[in-house]
Amino acid sequence: MVREWDPRAASSAELASLLDTLNAVLAADLPQDPPWQGSHLREYLSEVMPGERRIAWVAQADPAAGGAPGPILGHGHVLLLGDIGVLEVLVHPSVRRTGLGRDLTRVAARRVYQEGFQSIGVEVVGGTPAVAFYEALGFSREYVETRSVLDLSVVDWSALAEMATGVGAGYQVRFCPGGPPDDLIEAYARAKAEVRDVDDGELRPSSYDPQRLRDSLATLHRRGMKPYIVLATHDRTGEVAGLTEVVVPAQHPTRADQYDTIVVQEHRGYGIDRAIKARMLLELRSAEPALTEVQTWNAQANEAMLKVNAELGYRPDREWCEYGVDVAELVHRLGG
């Protein structure tokens, strides 16, 4: 049975059942990824940025003997932001190829269509059954990144410390746990805005406006996701010349997520990118002693950053693809 579902009102048993299904999907499709934990799961599923909405559904098995609720075997949600609905669907491996994923996609597509949106996007992990599933529904690949993973147990920390000091003269490198200091928020947002046209996916938009940046940081904290920032400032102007962001989620605290790494155009060529990423890893070693891995995503055309990541010890892992489809066509194809 597929029904609309509000994680804010869900029982603890429902959240635990959903977590079981999520971890079963990870074990089948991404066996090297760490299993998720239940910490802040409700907040992770419900908290969104101002102006965005998330609508969710679950597919639940029939009640067990005695009337106890059946387990949640599938989950889908759409995040409505900007002019696109971002879809995510997961189905327990034991009930795949039964039409459950198609049912969840159908109800989500109908809602996106009713809300007046014209396109749906979805992130699809290369080498998983999701590729064939979405392509069969008419989704087209629009963007490809490479995910790389750094195993902290094999890092050469002395070499990393040397890299962290390799920034050119005239710059200061600062570590900012929790987010950039308020007096640098506007300069920080300007640095991100200068490179908004760099190849980047559309499903994880960055924050180029100071207020949106503040909102983004507040939302991360509410979702149980701790942001860490390392930035380089230019001595003469005080401007933010480069920045790198890593988030440690409560849901998988042993593997951190790399967010943006940006060096403003006029400050490139001074070793800032490698220095700030190396400094970040050194700081995380102390700030997050339980951390064992960091994962990052890069456009395949971004050779400079791929080279820096390789020098730091990251190893390519998976293709991470964005697919899109016209909503009306998808609804028609699914019999809506």
Side-chain angles (χ1 to χ4, degrees):
M1 175 185 68
V2 174
R3 61 180 174 86
E4 195 164 331
W5 184 74
D6 182 355
R8 292 167 296 187
S11 68
S12 297
E14 286 180 337
L15 289 170
S17 181
L18 175 57
L19 182 63
D20 288 343
T21 288
L22 170 59
N23 281 328
V25 170
L26 286 174
D29 296 347
L30 295 167
Q32 303 305 315
D33 282 29
W36 278 42
Q37 302 177 12
S39 178
H40 287 82
L41 183 60
R42 188 187 305 276
E43 292 80 7
Y44 180 87
L45 294 169
S46 59
E47 292 291 343
V48 296
M49 289 275 289
E52 299 176 357
R53 287 184 295 144
R54 180 181 282 114
I55 307 169
W57 299 263
V58 292
Q60 196 162 6
D62 293 334
I72 290 175
L73 299 175
H75 174 258
H77 70 248
V78 288
L79 180 64
L80 303 176
L81 70 161
D83 58 356
I84 191 172
V86 181
L87 173 67
E88 184 174 345
V89 172
L90 62 89
V91 174
H92 196 286
S94 66
V95 291
R96 286 177 174 171
R97 306 186 70 83
T98 64
L100 200 55
R102 191 179 179 93
D103 290 343
L104 286 163
T105 304
R106 179 186 297 112
V107 297
R110 286 175 178 170
R111 177 61 66 87
V112 173
Y113 180 77
Q114 291 165 358
E115 295 282 346
F117 289 76
Q118 295 184 341
S119 61
I120 286 182
V122 62
E123 287 191 338
V124 181
V125 183
T128 68
V131 175
F133 173 77
Y134 287 109
E135 288 182 351
L137 293 179
F139 284 77
S140 299
R141 183 180 295 196
E142 298 176 344
Y143 182 77
V144 182
E145 294 178 308
T146 297
R147 183 180 78 166
S148 300
V149 178
L150 174 63
D151 180 352
L152 296 178
S153 70
V154 299
V155 166
D156 183 339
W157 293 102
S158 60
L160 204 70
E162 186 175 345
M163 293 181 195
T165 62
V167 66
Y171 297 94
Q172 299 294 322
V173 177
R174 301 172 58 178
F175 174 58
C176 308
D182 198 64
D183 64 326
L184 284 177
I185 283 281
E186 292 192 5
Y188 192 92
R190 282 196 298 272
K192 300 187 81 165
E194 282 199 27
V195 293
R196 71 176 65 187
D197 294 328
V198 171
D199 285 344
D200 196 7
E202 295 298 322
L203 304 188
R204 296 193 300 272
S206 190
S207 300
Y208 309 118
D209 171 80
Q211 186 54 51
R212 183 170 175 82
L213 181 57
R214 291 187 180 95
D215 291 339
S216 178
L217 289 165
T219 302
L220 284 173
H221 285 292
R222 292 197 305 271
R223 299 181 85 198
M225 305 168 76
K226 291 189 285 185
Y228 292 93
I229 309 293
V230 171
L231 52 83
T233 54
H234 188 220
D235 289 344
R236 182 173 59 82
T237 64
E239 287 295 297
V240 172
L243 61 96
T244 189
E245 307 163 335
V246 167
V247 171
V248 180
Q251 298 79 23
H252 50 89
T254 62
R255 179 181 285 194
D257 298 328
Q258 173 80 58
Y259 280 30
D260 283 346
T261 297
I262 291 169
V263 178
V264 175
Q265 182 70 41
E266 65 184 274
H267 298 289
R268 294 178 184 175
Y270 297 96
I272 292 174
D273 48 2
R274 190 174 70 163
I276 59 178
K277 293 196 76 167
R279 172 70 177 274
M280 174 67 80
L281 294 171
L282 291 167
E283 296 288 356
L284 288 174
R285 189 184 189 192
S286 300
E288 295 285 342
L291 196 64
T292 61
E293 296 173 309
V294 181
Q295 58 186 359
T296 187
W297 293 262
N298 296 103
Q300 294 179 338
N302 191 349
E303 295 180 1
M305 191 55 65
L306 289 171
K307 181 176 183 292
V308 168
N309 286 339
E311 291 172 352
L312 294 169
Y314 284 87
R315 295 293 175 261
D317 173 51
R318 296 266 185 161
E319 282 192 344
W320 220 265
C321 312
E322 292 183 7
Y323 278 71
V325 71
D326 179 84
V327 174
E329 291 179 4
L330 179 61
V331 170
H332 177 72
R333 186 173 289 112
L334 291 169

